[in-house]
Amino acid sequence: MSRNVWIALGLVAAVLAGLGAGLFLRAPSQVASHPQVPSTDTQPAAVAPGEIKIWVPTGATDGNKAWVYVDGHIEGVATAPTGDWLASPPDQDGVRRIQDSRRVLTLQSGDFTDSEADALRQEMGSQTSDAGNLFALVDLQNRPPGDYVVEVAYLMPQQAFPFAITRKYDITVQDGQTTQLFVGIPNDWSTVVPARRAPMACTADGRANVGDLQQDLDRYARDPTVHALRAMELQDGASVIDLPPENGGPREFDRAQIGYIANAVLYGYAEPSHADVGACKESTPQFAQSFEAYERLLGDFDDQLRTIRALAQN
């Protein structure tokens, strides 16, 4: 190979070596000119569930249970604790007093006064409270923070409608905190059994008492609670009954509650037995024809009550 060719090859090699060195020397500056930006994404803070403690004074409601609703759904049943508390009827100013041998508490328009509710809130955290046998606790845990509506339905057997329902209590559950609520006793809660007409198969002169029976049939046909029960779709758990406004409107009830409502209906429509009718017929045989018509009406009414009886025994 000629001397000139060797010189040319040497020059090419030198140029290539210089370019490689330049690239190698510039690499750090190129990397440095594009620094990595830290991520600004943050994970959301964990939300701790809260707790709702609902104190229900069933120790003063004649040993009867109460159903606790949260946002319209049954969340617990408060049974009566062992105690000797008594509740007076509300006076003309809406003041009701509940007391035992050691203490008197005051309700105003169905609620504990603010000062008593605050005192009870502090007191029920201790083991020495003398109101412990007044309240049943419904403890609802693992509740997401937020707003809730609480109601309580107190049982009143043998009333035309067997539940007294509190007002709606608006509460807020904070992140990881416990919210305590002391519900009162509604003013319409009562243990007084309303009077009802005694069922009589015959009138004073011995005739069949068709008039009273026909009045009951007409009243039954117009009864909005009867209509609501018959229209209800009975579920395995809770069922919604579209009650009239005076009974609180549409509401969820469990099977035990439905039984109480059906029994209250039956109590309001007690009719003479076939034995009573037979005794009247024997004492006044001259009115036998009127009793035949009466028994047909009574049989028709008995058929209509069959659905309600089935609900009472569910």
Side-chain angles (χ1 to χ4, degrees):
M1 188 177 294
S2 67
R3 183 172 179 273
N4 289 336
V5 171
W6 282 110
I7 292 172
L9 290 173
L11 289 173
V12 170
V15 170
L16 291 174
L19 288 173
L23 289 172
F24 179 79
L25 291 173
R26 284 196 300 270
S29 64
Q30 288 172 346
V31 172
S33 66
H34 295 85
Q36 194 169 12
V37 178
S39 173
T40 57
D41 294 338
T42 57
Q43 296 296 324
V47 176
E51 180 181 10
I52 307 173
K53 287 188 173 183
I54 302 171
W55 300 91
V56 186
T58 48
T61 56
D62 206 33
N64 292 312
K65 296 185 291 187
W67 281 255
V68 174
Y69 291 79
V70 178
D71 291 343
H73 299 290
I74 300 169
E75 293 284 354
V77 180
T79 56
T82 302
D84 56 354
W85 292 82
L86 297 174
S88 69
D91 62 20
Q92 60 183 5
D93 297 319
V95 175
R96 185 199 296 271
R97 291 177 176 81
I98 55 178
Q99 65 184 59
D100 68 356
S101 57
R102 298 161 296 175
R103 187 171 184 179
V104 178
L105 297 172
T106 302
L107 299 171
Q108 174 69 57
S109 300
D111 285 319
F112 288 102
T113 61
D114 291 341
S115 59
E116 285 189 337
D118 289 340
L120 287 167
R121 196 170 288 110
Q122 297 295 324
E123 188 179 323
M124 296 307 288
S126 71
Q127 300 298 317
T128 59
S129 171
D130 60 8
N133 62 353
L134 169 61
F135 293 98
L137 172 62
V138 175
D139 191 1
L140 306 177
Q141 301 183 6
N142 298 317
R143 297 286 156 159
D147 296 328
Y148 296 88
V149 177
V150 175
E151 299 168 278
V152 175
Y154 290 90
L155 178 62
M156 299 185 299
Q158 295 184 323
Q159 302 292 318
F161 181 69
F163 295 100
I165 301 172
T166 65
R167 67 175 178 87
K168 297 178 186 294
Y169 293 89
D170 297 313
I171 63 170
T172 299
V173 174
Q174 303 289 346
D175 187 6
Q177 301 296 311
T178 296
T179 299
Q180 296 195 80
L181 173 64
F182 288 84
V183 299
I185 301 173
N187 278 358
D188 58 352
W189 179 84
S190 174
T191 58
V192 177
V193 178
R196 66 170 180 173
R197 174 178 51 80
M200 306 219 17
C202 46
T203 61
D205 62 359
R207 298 175 185 273
N209 193 7
V210 177
D212 282 354
L213 179 55
Q214 188 61 59
Q215 285 181 13
D216 283 349
L217 277 164
D218 293 342
R219 182 165 58 91
Y220 183 85
R222 298 190 305 269
D223 191 323
T225 301
V226 171
H227 284 249
L229 285 173
R230 293 172 70 95
M232 172 195 63
E233 295 184 9
L234 186 63
Q235 307 294 328
D236 290 336
S239 305
V240 174
I241 305 178
D242 189 9
L243 290 170
E246 59 267 27
N247 292 337
R251 181 175 295 277
E252 181 179 280
F253 293 96
D254 67 18
R255 282 179 171 262
Q257 291 172 296
I258 292 168
Y260 285 117
I261 296 171
N263 272 301
V265 170
L266 294 174
Y267 181 80
Y269 292 99
E271 298 300 331
S273 67
H274 289 286
D276 294 333
V277 178
C280 285
K281 287 171 67 175
E282 287 182 10
S283 63
T284 55
Q286 66 272 30
F287 300 129
Q289 190 172 0
S290 70
F291 280 105
E292 289 175 6
Y294 183 86
E295 286 186 299
R296 286 194 296 271
L297 278 176
L298 193 60
D300 179 56
F301 199 7
D302 189 69
D303 288 341
Q304 293 186 48
L305 289 170
R306 192 170 297 159
T307 300
I308 307 301
R309 288 197 186 97
L311 291 173
Q313 298 169 4
N314 83 87

